[in-house]
Amino acid sequence: MLYNKEIETLALPKLRALQNERLTTLVHRLYEKVPFYKRQFDEAGITPMDIKRVEDLHKIPFTKKTDLRDNYPFDLFVVPQNEVLRIHASSGTTGKPTVVGYSRKDLDIFDEVVARSLVAAGARPGMKLHNAYGYGLFTGGLGMHGGATKLGMAVIPVSGGMTDRQLMILQDFKPEVMCCTPSYAQTLAEECKKRGIDTAELAVQYAILGAEPWTDTIRAQVEAGLNVNATNIYGLSEIIGPGVSQEDYEEKGSGSYIWEDHFYPEIVDRDTGEPLPYGEEGVLVFTTISKEAMPLLRYWTNDICSIYYDSAAKRTHIKMSAIKGRADDMLIVRGVNLFPSQVEVLIDEFEHFVPNYQLEVSREGTMDEVKVNIELSESLSNAIGVDGLSANEQVKQLIHDFRQKIKNNIGLSMDVNVQPFGKIPRSAGGKLSRVKDLRKLDSK
Ligand code: ADP
């Protein structure tokens, strides 16, 4: 089943024609109504007449998170206040949050793309959705909620955290579909095991995971631990929220469909901003061609991935690879670029490690050093006992092999610190940071 077969399988020339039509209407609107965009165009020496098709987008300057902050809270809104029906804001760890507004049409688009995503993930009308994304200013909870309602699912709005209650609801309400961050799915899987909950007794079949980077290593742990089929959902509030892209449950590992009739993607070089060809890795940039209240031109997501067409796929829309990380989260260690996800994928090959890990970054003199803190499997951890860990020959061998693996694959020597099972921080409901940056603590 596809939610909107006509659009999801639209032939590429038709999809391009639709995108071009939406884009040209949009640039005229933004130029006339938003002073920020008029300035952007004027300074670049272009007019809306220069933008006739998506291939012309490269002429337009990027819109960045700082531009949203500079126009805080509502200066990028295009419609009058009384046509704005919802306002969300992203957390913003420093300074003011970034604010986004939705008109009725935007909320309809949001529901539509989430409904498509749910179906791609395996959900069907009549099923129940256990929604463990946070409700509130964060778009996750309400975004999934609206799409599931549109699809005809019963939504259980659990929100994030309170693991006891989550487990009770999974057991008693028997939802077939659940959604949360991948790190929280790890927590739930572990808690099921700890409490002796037989996952075969649960009804949940599909888990829709996103809001933070994750790899097949975590997928394997969550699928086994919760007895589910787990797919990736991607999104950000500036573009709409969750449902910008979604992986199909029968095409796992081949990337997530970007609903490109609404969100036109580009990949650009992170240093020069030059557009890159399909398949090359760079910064993901979106133009929200159909949005009404706060459309954005060439929004610099800061997320690193590649985009490509998959001719063997069920749908015609372009796919994106898993996000390697945010450009901001990239560590530069002795001249080598490093994302935590690059270490995560390597854990998969070690049956005695579990993907509970954290990279600890410190500075020795002028050099950045990275230590990988990683947990031992529960069984080996129990067999050895906490006190014997560092002296244990098997652990020493594991450390040696893992260091070697990292060196061969990433090109860096890293210290590996093996911890007993349960010692590394877990997600208590939301996003989890895999990096502990001691350099920041030092400079405080
Ligand atoms: P913030 O985290 O800035 O408060 P959002 O909740 O809108 O705001 O987060 C959006 C960001 O979350 C994306 O830009 C991306 O970095 C990350 N993200 C969302 N979904 C995924 C995913 N499936 N894989 C990797 N990263 C994701």
Side-chain angles (χ1 to χ4, degrees):
M1 176 186 167
L2 306 191
Y3 180 73
N4 186 340
K5 189 159 185 237
E6 192 187 333
I7 287 288
E8 291 175 52
T9 60
L10 199 62
L12 272 188
K14 287 192 176 157
L15 195 52
R16 282 290 173 271
L18 178 68
Q19 291 167 331
N20 291 339
E21 186 193 312
R22 289 181 171 173
L23 176 66
T24 45
T25 312
L26 176 68
V27 287
H28 282 92
R29 266 183 79 220
L30 287 177
Y31 187 79
E32 281 154 28
K33 298 201 169 161
V34 182
F36 166 76
Y37 277 116
K38 179 164 190 320
R39 265 198 319 277
Q40 292 267 86
F41 273 59
D42 291 349
E43 281 167 18
I46 53 171
T47 74
M49 293 307 289
D50 293 312
I51 312 299
K52 296 207 158 49
R53 54 187 75 82
V54 290
E55 287 79 6
D56 297 326
L57 271 169
H58 68 96
K59 299 175 189 166
I60 305 176
F62 298 110
T63 305
K64 296 204 165 170
K65 206 172 187 103
T66 48
D67 297 318
L68 267 65
R69 295 224 169 94
D70 292 346
N71 287 281
Y72 177 86
F74 303 143
D75 286 355
L76 291 180
F77 286 14
V78 187
V79 299
Q81 278 294 338
N82 63 359
E83 288 178 30
V84 176
L85 298 194
R86 172 109 55 92
I87 294 170
H88 278 287
S90 83
S91 43
T93 42
T94 51
K96 300 277 190 194
T98 44
V99 179
V100 292
Y102 303 72
S103 67
R104 186 174 301 283
K105 182 183 165 212
D106 296 332
L107 290 177
D108 287 345
I109 294 171
F110 202 177
D111 290 347
E112 158 84 23
V113 293
V114 171
R116 285 185 208 172
S117 300
L118 283 160
V119 170
R124 297 292 178 264
M127 289 182 174
K128 293 186 278 297
L129 175 70
H130 178 109
N131 187 1
Y133 280 119
Y135 280 66
L137 284 178
F138 173 62
T139 48
L142 280 169
M144 296 306 291
H145 189 116
T149 304
K150 182 167 174 115
L151 178 60
M153 300 180 78
V155 187
I156 310 168
V158 202
S159 199
M162 303 232 242
T163 303
D164 287 340
R165 194 175 57 182
Q166 305 270 354
L167 294 174
M168 180 188 77
I169 289 172
L170 281 171
Q171 288 173 283
D172 297 347
F173 294 12
K174 302 239 176 299
E176 294 87 350
V177 188
M178 61 183 286
C179 56
C180 60
T181 59
S183 55
Y184 195 51
Q186 286 183 283
T187 302
L188 291 173
E190 273 181 20
E191 288 299 320
C192 279
K193 186 161 179 228
K194 211 188 267 174
R195 295 161 199 230
I197 296 172
D198 179 4
T199 51
E201 306 260 293
L202 303 178
V204 66
Q205 300 168 50
Y206 303 104
I208 306 171
L209 311 180
E212 63 188 4
W214 60 303
T215 68
D216 283 345
T217 304
I218 286 178
R219 193 198 311 261
Q221 186 199 23
V222 169
E223 289 195 331
L226 287 171
N227 191 24
V228 288
N229 187 322
T231 53
N232 181 48
I233 189 160
Y234 166 86
L236 62 166
S237 53
E238 297 90 319
I239 302 306
I240 202 145
V244 171
S245 80
Q246 168 70 43
E247 195 176 27
D248 186 283
Y249 74 114
E250 291 174 327
E251 296 173 3
K252 281 189 297 191
S254 69
S256 302
Y257 289 104
I258 296 172
W259 306 121
E260 59 166 314
D261 52 322
H262 296 297
F263 318 119
Y264 184 81
E266 296 169 85
I267 294 289
V268 303
D269 184 283
R270 62 186 298 253
D271 298 318
T272 65
E274 284 304 310
L276 294 174
Y278 294 143
E280 278 192 34
E281 198 174 88
V283 175
L284 183 59
V285 166
F286 280 111
T287 298
T288 60
I289 48 181
S290 57
K291 271 173 71 186
E292 205 172 56
M294 203 190 108
L296 297 176
L297 295 177
R298 303 196 85 206
Y299 185 70
W300 181 279
T301 64
N302 228 1
D303 293 324
I304 306 287
C305 70
S306 61
I307 58 174
Y308 43 84
Y309 284 99
D310 176 359
S311 55
K314 291 182 199 171
R315 301 167 179 81
T316 48
H317 292 220
I318 200 162
K319 286 183 171 177
M320 59 185 259
S321 64
I323 300 284
K324 215 167 176 184
R326 292 195 199 201
D328 294 348
D329 294 340
M330 192 181 78
L331 303 166
I332 304 178
V333 185
R334 280 169 257 129
V336 177
N337 299 349
L338 174 72
F339 287 100
S341 59
Q342 288 171 275
V343 175
E344 185 178 306
V345 286
L346 304 178
I347 301 170
D348 207 20
E349 293 166 39
F350 292 81
E351 66 165 297
H352 291 301
F353 285 150
V354 279
N356 295 327
Y357 71 99
Q358 195 174 45
L359 305 191
E360 208 173 284
V361 194
S362 58
R363 182 161 291 159
E364 301 285 332
T366 53
M367 295 275 243
D368 286 341
E369 296 289 338
V370 178
K371 182 164 77 182
V372 185
N373 291 316
I374 179 144
E375 276 182 11
L376 216 49
S377 67
E378 199 173 2
S379 53
L380 193 58
S381 211
N382 289 341
I384 299 173
V386 176
D387 297 338
L389 218 58
S390 57
N392 184 278
E393 288 307 318
Q394 193 176 355
V395 172
K396 282 188 191 159
Q397 187 64 43
L398 272 171
I399 292 175
H400 172 269
D401 294 349
F402 195 40
R403 282 183 60 125
Q404 200 60 45
K405 185 102 215 158
I406 292 172
K407 175 93 189 142
N408 293 344
N409 284 271
I410 305 176
L412 280 173
S413 299
M414 289 183 206
D415 272 350
V416 170
N417 175 26
V418 172
Q419 307 250 6
F421 185 77
K423 281 285 177 245
I424 291 177
R426 264 67 175 160
S427 163
K431 305 190 191 212
L432 179 72
S433 175
R434 302 280 182 188
V435 178
K436 186 172 168 189
D437 198 337
L438 300 175
R439 296 168 306 180
K440 287 183 188 152
L441 296 177
D442 291 345
S443 62
K444 268 186 192 157

